[in-house]
Amino acid sequence: MSVIITVAPTGPIASKADNPALPTQPAEIADQVAAAYEAGASVAHIHLRDRDDLPTADLDIARRTVELIGERCPILVQLSTGVGLTVPFEEREKLVELRPAMATLNPCTMSFGAGEFRNPPDGVRRLAARMRELGVKPELEIYDTGHLEACLRLQAEGLLADPLQFSIVLGVRGGMAATADNLLMMVNRLPQGAIWQVIAIGKANLELTAMGLALGGNCRAGLEDTLYLRKGELADGNVPLVSRARTLALDLDLMVADVAQARAQLQLN
Ligand code: KMH
Ligand code: ZN
């Protein structure tokens, strides 16, 4: 298996004031995703922003962004249905109607920093079922052990197809802390055959990304997860973060997947 590198260029929280290189508008996002593709990413995890750079689930903005990405490179698009804390679940879930190759599925409501991240059980079940119908591969974002159990219940209900694909999210206030112990504990709890990556938010991003690779996981890199290349140095866009992830993988004597390999490994349609 080769390492699938996902670029997460924008996220729902940071602004250009935090890092001027943060891409927020469709063409900016598409340009940085294309550059990240050239640097080794085979999946792009996409959050959308409106004209005021606020998180949005607007389908026209989503369509436009996906179209611009597709004009530039063949990267697999993974739309975030997490979107942002201020966007109603009922708007977020509509994004899968665009039939992206992949989309995130957040199984549980939780505190998320100073806000609430609402994922009602009936809505999550409805979204999982709709993704199954549409052939959109869910990327399961788990922030705690209970989230993993919720995903396994969805699988038992026949709402999730194998192989399950997890992101172990560490470092969100409201979820597990970004520690090596928590990462190892979660990896050891994953079901046989699961595909996974670690998403470590903030200053532990580099070490836990490296640990995830060493443990056989895929990896994610981008400004959604850390605005800094190193302590005190803002990353000049997403490419330096993706390039470093690729170098980490190669230095661990791992192969980096291209889009065709990623599609096959994830068993996408
Ligand atoms: N939108 C954030 C609240 C996702 O992409 O699905 C969490 C998030 C997860 O970014
Ligand atoms: Zn996200």
Side-chain angles (χ1 to χ4, degrees), residues 14-262:
S15 70
K16 289 183 188 290
D18 301 314
N19 185 327
L22 184 80
T24 54
Q25 293 303 304
E28 292 175 320
I29 291 173
D31 288 344
Q32 287 208 30
V33 164
Y37 166 77
E38 295 301 333
S42 52
V43 176
H45 170 81
I46 301 299
H47 284 259
L48 305 154
R49 302 286 185 95
D50 65 17
R51 289 187 185 294
D52 300 322
D53 282 359
L54 297 174
T56 180
D58 180 278
L59 293 182
D60 290 335
I61 294 175
R63 219 173 266 115
R64 180 80 184 121
T65 306
V66 172
E67 184 188 321
L68 289 172
I69 292 171
E71 285 171 5
R72 287 162 173 76
C73 68
I75 201 164
L76 298 167
V77 171
Q78 175 191 100
L79 285 182
S80 164
T81 66
V83 180
L85 302 181
T86 55
V87 182
F89 185 89
E90 295 67 24
E91 285 178 30
R92 293 163 36 201
E93 66 181 314
K94 292 198 176 67
L95 284 166
V96 298
E97 299 306 315
L98 299 186
R99 295 172 187 259
M102 306 154 79
T104 60
L105 185 68
N106 293 271
C108 296
T109 290
M110 62 189 283
S111 298
F112 197 103
E116 178 191 283
F117 187 26
R118 188 175 159 268
N119 297 292
D122 59 337
V124 170
R125 203 174 285 113
R126 183 175 65 237
L127 177 53
R130 186 61 179 149
M131 290 169 85
R132 186 113 207 230
E133 268 171 47
L134 294 170
V136 176
K137 181 76 178 171
E139 198 231 31
L140 305 162
E141 305 236 337
I142 54 178
Y143 305 70
D144 215 328
T145 57
H147 296 206
L148 173 56
E149 304 310 323
C151 291
L152 298 179
R153 285 194 293 275
L154 290 173
Q155 181 189 37
E157 287 180 47
L159 294 175
L160 294 176
D162 286 337
L164 298 186
Q165 187 198 346
F166 292 97
S167 277
I168 299 170
V169 189
L170 301 166
V172 167
R173 276 184 294 128
M176 286 178 293
T179 65
D181 280 356
N182 282 341
L183 176 53
L184 193 56
M185 179 268 293
M186 286 303 278
V187 170
N188 288 332
R189 284 169 180 258
L190 295 179
Q192 195 63 35
I195 297 171
W196 61 275
Q197 68 179 357
V198 61
I199 297 176
I201 305 296
K203 56 182 182 303
N205 176 268
L206 181 56
E207 301 93 287
L208 293 182
T209 299
M211 182 177 163
L213 285 169
L215 291 172
N218 293 313
C219 77
R220 183 164 116 160
L223 295 175
E224 174 169 351
D225 303 336
T226 178
L227 296 170
Y228 291 83
L229 187 60
R230 56 180 62 85
K231 191 169 168 37
E233 182 185 338
L234 287 172
D236 181 18
N238 285 278
V239 169
L241 296 168
V242 172
S243 300
R244 181 171 62 189
R246 181 175 179 275
T247 304
L248 276 174
L250 296 178
D251 285 351
L252 284 165
D253 216 12
L254 300 167
M255 304 280 285
V256 172
D258 60 23
V259 167
Q261 288 162 327

